[in-house]
Amino acid sequence: QRRGLRLSTPAAIQVTVRDALNQALDEELERDERVFLLGEEVAQYDGAYKISRGLWKKYGDKRVIDTPISEMGFAGIAVGAAMVWLRPVCEFMTFNFSMQAIDQVINSAAKTCYMSAGSIAVPIVFRGPNGASAGVAAQHSQCFAAWYGHCPGLKVVSPWSAEDAKGLLKASIRDDNPVVVLESELLYGVPFEMSEQAQSKEFVIPIGKAKIERQGTHVTLVAHSRPVGHCIEAATVLSKEGVECEVINLRTIRPMDIETVEASVVKTNHLVTVEGGWPQFGVGAEICARIMEGPAFNYLDAPAVRVTGADVPMPYAKILEDNCIPQVKDIVFAVKKALNI
């Protein structure tokens, strides 16, 4: 302050998820010379989804590396680099293609710290688009949250907003464990408000902590990634009918912040989980089981309800695709079912 006048400070701004991820990578590449990015088209082409736009020109060939179309090969190179305390960020053009590198992700990255009695850390990030996009059929539309969330040794995050994307990616790069960052291609171009705090180069979001996006009293909605937005839309619709939904953005799949979910269920007495993945052994199934086994079960007034993707490989035709992905109307129906209205 000077002469009683308050100096202006940056206010909240609109930032797309794409730009938030780009900021996170830029800031971490600048902060730590051990960080490097590798993957298909990440350098000279600026990334298949332009997440790495401008980074190759700024940091050069040694820090932003184009790879051949060989996920097993470049994921293995990245894991080896992490074992000698570099901090690779390994981009998969889609997480469906991470199946080509599953041996490296699980057997090499996830298990090494435990099997070496803690003497070998593997500080690596595997990131890229996960789940359904639009019109890309079964081989490009699968959600791997349940797959990777199943595996001890990995941390798994699933951002929704621009702040989620920036804060969780930065935290993942700084973490000494292998972290899987599951992004949504359909969110890349979506703008979100980014607070003044989130614009800081030191802004990180703790891995393993959920966020309550909307307060409510009648039912708890829990989701991650793009379905968080659907839940907020459904909550807006239901509020006009006198139903107040509490919306929880899970943010992290593993370790799961079940305490935040339990506290909400104790308050609302009802639970609906929402995810784009398949129902069997899914994220929602795990949440329901944890609530069943814990103290919040005694507060439930009705069975928990899951809203999931259809239990089929993703069809190509748009009308079929729309019917395979949870929509706002499906969430509204599930809430009314849980509340018996």
Side-chain angles (χ1 to χ4, degrees):
Q1 292 184 346
R2 181 181 294 174
R3 294 183 183 176
L5 297 176
R6 187 167 182 170
L7 299 177
S8 62
T9 56
I13 57 173
Q14 292 283 314
V15 177
T16 64
V17 171
R18 173 183 289 108
D19 289 341
L21 291 166
N22 181 267
Q23 284 177 28
L25 289 168
D26 187 11
E27 291 170 7
E28 293 306 301
L29 283 162
E30 181 180 65
R31 175 180 178 270
D32 188 342
E33 63 181 10
R34 295 172 299 171
V35 175
F36 69 96
L37 173 66
L38 79 168
E40 296 152 1
E41 309 281 17
V42 300
Q44 295 187 41
Y45 189 66
D46 279 345
Y49 304 98
K50 306 307 174 193
I51 304 300
S52 55
R53 184 174 53 224
L55 299 181
W56 174 68
K57 288 181 180 177
K58 184 173 181 179
Y59 295 101
D61 290 326
K62 290 186 177 181
R63 306 287 303 283
V64 183
I65 304 168
D66 277 333
T67 65
I69 304 175
S70 176
E71 281 77 12
M72 181 179 287
F74 68 74
I77 290 170
V79 172
M83 287 178 176
V84 293
W85 278 96
L86 295 176
R87 292 186 172 271
V89 179
C90 178
E91 177 180 306
F92 294 122
M93 197 175 286
T94 160
F95 258 94
N96 298 264
F97 301 161
S98 74
M99 292 297 95
Q100 299 289 328
I102 192 78
D103 182 53
Q104 304 290 2
V105 177
I106 305 303
N107 283 326
S108 298
K111 298 178 182 179
T112 292
C113 185
Y114 184 86
M115 294 178 71
S116 67
S119 64
I120 303 175
V122 188
I124 186 172
V125 172
F126 300 101
R127 54 152 296 271
N130 170 72
S133 180
V136 292
Q139 292 187 341
H140 301 77
S141 299
Q142 189 173 334
C143 176
F144 288 91
W147 281 59
Y148 289 119
H150 179 69
C151 300
L154 293 177
K155 294 184 179 181
V156 183
V157 302
S158 183
W160 168 59
S161 67
E163 284 197 8
D164 289 351
K166 181 178 180 181
L168 288 171
L169 180 54
K170 287 170 71 73
S172 300
I173 293 171
R174 297 182 188 189
D175 202 286
D176 288 339
N177 298 278
V179 186
V180 174
V181 180
L182 302 172
E183 302 156 10
S184 169
E185 182 183 339
L186 293 175
L187 288 175
Y188 282 155
V190 178
F192 289 87
E193 187 173 279
M194 184 175 279
S195 67
E196 180 184 342
Q197 179 190 11
Q199 295 168 46
S200 164
K201 289 186 177 182
E202 291 307 311
F203 173 73
V204 294
I205 291 173
I207 294 173
K209 185 63 181 171
K211 180 187 178 186
I212 298 174
E213 297 287 352
R214 179 186 174 117
Q215 297 283 345
T217 53
H218 296 124
V219 60
T220 298
L221 299 178
V222 186
H224 65 94
S225 191
R226 189 166 174 257
V228 174
H230 293 343
C231 287
I232 292 172
E233 289 181 48
T236 302
V237 171
L238 287 159
S239 68
K240 296 174 182 176
E241 302 179 33
V243 176
E244 294 301 327
C245 303
E246 183 145 295
V247 179
I248 297 177
N249 174 7
L250 207 53
R251 280 181 165 174
T252 305
I253 307 301
R254 185 183 186 105
M256 186 177 286
D257 182 6
I258 205 66
E259 293 79 13
T260 294
V261 180
E262 284 179 335
S264 180
V265 170
V266 167
K267 180 170 71 169
T268 68
N269 310 118
H270 298 88
L271 173 64
V272 175
T273 68
V274 186
E275 63 190 305
W278 294 320
Q280 188 157 320
F281 314 117
V283 175
E286 174 65 15
I287 294 169
C288 291
R290 299 277 283 275
I291 293 299
M292 180 98 175
E293 294 164 354
F297 173 72
N298 296 312
Y299 291 83
L300 280 175
D301 288 343
V305 179
R306 290 180 295 158
V307 180
T308 72
D311 197 24
V312 297
M314 184 66 71
Y316 171 73
K318 186 178 189 307
I319 190 168
L320 295 177
E321 182 182 69
D322 289 345
N323 280 282
C324 284
I325 300 171
Q327 308 290 340
V328 172
K329 62 181 176 60
D330 302 316
I331 301 169
V332 171
F333 178 83
V335 168
K336 290 183 176 181
K337 178 182 177 182
L339 295 175
N340 195 28
I341 57 176

